[in-house]
Amino acid sequence: MADFLTFAKWDGETVTVRFIQRSCAMSEDLRGKGEVRAAGGAASAHVTEVARGTGDGPTLSTEAQHRRAAIAGAAGTALEYYEFSIYATLGLLFAPLFFPGGNSVLIALASFGVGYVARPVGGLLAGWLGDRFGRRRVLIATVLAMGTFATLMGLLPTYAQIGLAAPVLLVVLRLLQGLSAGGELIGAVTYVAESSTSGRRTLSSALTTTGSVLGFALAPLVTALVALGLDNEAMASWGWRVPFLLCLPLTAGVFLLRRSLAESTEFDDAKSDGTVQRSPLRALVREHRMAILRAFGISVAVNGTGYLALAYFPVMLAARLPEEGGALRWWNAGALLLTCGVILGFARLATVFGHQRLMRIGLGLFAVFSTPLVMVLTTTTSAVVASIAYFGFMVLVALQSATAYLTMTRDLFPPEVRFSGAAISFNLGNVLAGGLAPLLISAAVQATGDGIIPAYFAIAVSVVGLVCMIGVRARDAGAVAAD
């Protein structure tokens, strides 16, 4: 008969029971993680976790929690970026209805960037709440708020109907949407990374960031499907509202999915150990200033290159090739959907070679290939050629998406300040290099006539990212040696 040890753990809220088949000497500190270590030799212990849960959310097996966390993280992130990117996708259509007169391209990009101004404040608030009271509740709140404000945008009357109040309300809703989105992506990556085992952490985190690209893909795809049944006049008059209104049922679905989650494993452990900070922001500034700077620089690199592809190029191509607008939407959506698979492929490579090594390679490739890709995108008159070059740029973005977010969260910050540190750093970089850069680049291109300016920008932010990666080490003890 097999020799079993039984362990029970009570932390005031949770009873965790494990049956462990003993085949070696084991360390006494299991810390609720399902880990078994050999004392002075190889281990072949078999662990079965019967239950794990907290008073905040349902009780789930570890395996079920891992799957549900990854799916819920990806779904919420997809919703965030769908809601945010339909603004950029449809901006050229509805901008004249709210901002009559003026340069439609600059107005579309400017109103797109407005939402990013509030993101650091949202990240600051979400990070503090997440580090103080838990990740799960914050991620539920962000989804509900984002969906509500996006739906209201689809219901707004136009300038012709209510005058100046129309653009004012649009900008206010965009700001509120940015405030609520400040903790979404980085909070979801934090939650998923903390809820996954070491061997699955890179892939699970990459699945969450895949949601951002999927959201950007859904925006032109939904827009193209709506446009199939409408002529140009109807699409510009009221058809643009439909993608916004779809946020309501999508939000309801993601809410139900996240409502079923338990709290993250590492935050639960921090509560059990008494290491949760009463003032996480104070501890962050006092003890982790260098980590904040590193994460900010990495965010500048990731968001700077990413938003060239996701925000600047689609608007620029739509303005350059207006007669190819319908084809570009389909090609753009197809390229983004393919990119989702590429991200997961790179994540699998990262489990072998190390996520930080692949990230450094990706930043180096951006520095080399940005100029030729941008030259094609800014000179071609073919939607097919433009889409191929666009996909090439997105492959490089995918390499960053598969690797960088785990570094910005788990590698750089300990659990007690992780949400705050990552959210503040990420959103500051997001505003500087993501929300505002497309607008500034567009203005610079129009002022100078130099279409290669986006490539110069991509090279510059890639160098910033490489510098900030110097000396960064993976937090996992069992991580690939290259990291």
Side-chain angles (χ1 to χ4, degrees):
M1 182 175 180
D3 186 10
F4 285 90
L5 297 177
T6 303
F7 289 82
K9 177 183 176 182
W10 169 253
D11 62 7
E13 296 179 339
T14 307
V15 176
T16 303
V17 181
R18 289 177 173 79
F19 302 100
I20 302 181
Q21 184 176 351
R22 182 167 56 189
S23 57
C24 65
M26 291 172 287
S27 67
E28 63 180 16
D29 182 17
L30 298 180
R31 295 177 58 80
K33 298 179 182 177
E35 296 177 356
V36 180
R37 297 181 177 88
S44 59
H46 174 71
V47 180
T48 301
E49 182 170 85
V50 176
R52 178 182 178 91
T54 71
D56 187 9
T59 299
L60 295 170
S61 70
T62 300
E63 190 68 26
Q65 184 176 338
H66 290 171
R67 289 196 302 269
R68 191 167 294 183
I71 294 170
T77 303
L79 177 63
E80 173 196 359
Y81 281 87
Y82 168 75
E83 292 171 350
F84 241 67
S85 62
I86 52 177
Y87 205 103
T89 302
L90 295 166
L92 290 175
L93 283 177
F94 69 72
L97 300 178
F98 291 89
F99 307 96
N103 188 309
S104 295
V105 175
L106 284 177
I107 289 174
L109 287 171
S111 55
F112 178 81
V114 161
Y116 283 84
V117 175
R119 276 184 174 243
V121 179
L124 183 71
L125 177 62
W128 183 84
L129 291 171
D131 283 333
R132 186 73 182 85
F133 301 106
R135 294 34 167 145
R136 173 182 175 270
R137 295 175 184 176
V138 173
L139 292 177
I140 291 174
T142 58
V143 163
L144 290 176
M146 288 187 309
T148 299
F149 298 134
T151 302
L152 289 175
M153 287 182 197
L155 298 173
L156 275 180
T158 65
Y159 187 94
Q161 294 169 312
I162 61 172
L164 187 61
V168 170
L169 287 173
L170 183 64
V171 171
V172 168
L173 286 175
R174 185 67 175 169
L175 284 169
L176 290 173
Q177 189 186 35
L179 184 73
S180 57
E184 170 55 38
L185 171 58
I186 209 70
V189 174
T190 298
Y191 176 85
V192 170
E194 292 181 346
S195 300
S196 302
T197 57
S198 178
R200 299 183 181 182
R201 191 165 286 125
T202 300
L203 186 58
S204 296
S205 300
L207 180 62
T208 301
T209 57
T210 297
S212 64
V213 180
L214 181 61
F216 270 106
L218 287 175
L221 183 60
V222 170
T223 301
L225 289 172
V226 172
L228 283 177
L230 301 174
D231 57 29
N232 291 337
E233 183 179 352
M235 190 67 189
S237 176
W238 60 268
W240 62 270
R241 297 180 183 272
V242 175
F244 282 99
L245 297 177
L246 285 175
C247 293
L248 183 60
L250 292 174
T251 299
V254 177
F255 166 72
L256 292 175
L257 187 59
R258 287 195 170 174
R259 186 184 176 192
S260 67
L261 294 175
E263 186 52 81
S264 81
T265 307
E266 292 187 28
F267 185 80
D268 264 355
D269 291 335
K271 285 171 60 180
S272 300
D273 298 340
T275 57
V276 172
Q277 296 286 324
R278 295 186 63 84
S279 301
L281 295 179
R282 184 184 302 168
L284 177 70
V285 174
R286 184 177 62 245
E287 302 172 16
H288 304 282
R289 289 188 291 271
M290 184 55 68
I292 294 172
L293 290 174
R294 289 181 186 275
F296 169 72
I298 294 169
S299 177
V300 165
V302 172
N303 287 299
T305 53
Y307 277 92
L308 274 180
L310 297 171
Y312 175 78
F313 289 142
V315 174
M316 180 270 291
L317 289 171
R320 280 192 62 245
L321 306 172
E323 69 283 356
E324 299 280 1
L328 282 171
R329 279 194 291 266
W330 285 107
W331 282 107
N332 183 33
L336 291 174
L337 289 173
L338 286 174
T339 301
C340 293
V342 176
I343 291 174
L344 296 179
F346 282 137
R348 291 193 176 276
L349 284 177
T351 62
V352 178
F353 298 106
H355 61 278
Q356 291 189 12
R357 172 180 284 179
L358 260 65
M359 181 182 170
R360 293 182 179 99
I361 291 173
L363 290 170
L365 291 175
F366 258 122
V368 173
F369 289 104
S370 290
T371 300
L373 289 172
V374 169
M375 288 179 66
V376 174
L377 287 166
T378 55
T379 58
T380 185
T381 58
S382 167
V384 175
V385 174
S387 298
I388 293 172
Y390 180 71
F391 178 65
F393 204 91
M394 283 304 302
V395 168
L396 300 180
V397 171
L399 192 48
Q400 303 307 312
S401 297
T403 56
Y405 291 90
L406 189 56
T407 297
M408 282 189 284
T409 55
R410 200 169 185 278
D411 289 349
L412 285 172
F413 299 100
E416 59 268 21
V417 296
R418 182 171 292 149
F419 201 155
S420 298
I424 293 169
S425 306
F426 174 78
N427 282 293
L428 287 174
N430 206 358
V431 170
L432 179 63
L436 299 180
L439 172 64
L440 297 177
I441 290 170
S442 179
V445 169
Q446 292 190 26
T448 65
D450 186 356
I452 309 300
I453 286 177
Y456 305 150
F457 174 76
I459 293 169
V461 296
S462 296
V463 171
V464 170
L466 283 169
V467 170
C468 289
M469 283 295 295
I470 297 173
V472 177
R473 307 287 294 179
R475 185 170 293 271
D476 285 331
V480 177
D483 279 353

